[in-house]
Amino acid sequence: MAYAVEFLKTAEQELARLPKDAQRQIVKRVEGLKDTPRPPGVEPLKGAEKLLRLRVGDYRVVYTVESRHLVVLVVRIGHRKEVYENLNAVASRVLIWKQRKRKK
C-alpha cells in the first residue's frame, strides 16, 4: 500500500529556505517514502516520540509514520548540525496534528 506524504507547515517553510539543489534531493527521497516508509538507513531518534531520521547529504528529514492513516508526516527538515534542536516542540506539533486527524 502506498502512503501519503504530508508536511507540517513548519517543515514546508524549512524546506523552502534550503538551496534549490538540496530541495530537489530531499523531495525525491521523501517521495520514495510513499512506497517504503522505513527504508534501510533510517534511524529512530532517541527520546523523541516515534520520530525517524532520513539522511540526505548534509541535511536531515525528521518524520513519523502513521500506519493507521497510511501517512508519512514530515515534521522537520534542516542541516545536520541544527535539525535536532528543540525536538520536544516538534513532538508537540505532531500530537496536535494527530488530534486533528482523529476529528476528521
Side-chain angles (χ1 to χ4, degrees):
M1 276 196 226
Y3 282 67
V5 173
E6 294 185 20
F7 289 78
L8 288 181
K9 187 171 185 89
T10 53
E12 288 177 350
Q13 293 167 349
E14 291 167 342
L15 179 63
R17 284 188 233 126
L18 298 178
K20 294 294 181 193
D21 60 332
Q23 287 180 23
R24 282 190 290 274
Q25 290 175 350
I26 290 169
V27 168
K28 183 178 178 182
R29 293 289 304 274
V30 168
E31 288 294 317
L33 296 175
K34 288 181 176 181
D35 296 321
T36 310
R38 293 175 184 89
V42 167
E43 297 286 329
L45 296 179
K46 295 177 183 171
E49 183 183 323
K50 298 183 181 178
L51 294 178
L52 302 168
R53 179 226 8 145
L54 177 67
R55 293 175 60 190
V56 184
D58 285 342
Y59 297 95
R60 302 296 182 262
V61 177
V62 178
Y63 70 99
T64 186
V65 178
E66 292 298 320
S67 298
R68 181 183 212 186
H69 300 289
L70 294 178
V71 173
V72 172
L73 178 64
V74 178
V75 297
R76 191 114 193 244
I77 300 170
H79 192 273
R80 63 188 172 97
K81 290 184 179 178
E82 32 189 66
V83 75
Y84 303 112
E85 297 171 4
N86 298 322
L87 280 182
N88 291 336
V90 172
S92 66
R93 289 187 207 129
V94 171
L95 291 175
I96 292 168
W97 178 87
K98 286 181 183 180
Q99 290 171 348
R100 289 182 181 157
K101 271 292 195 195
R102 286 185 197 134
K103 290 180 183 179
K104 288 184 178 182

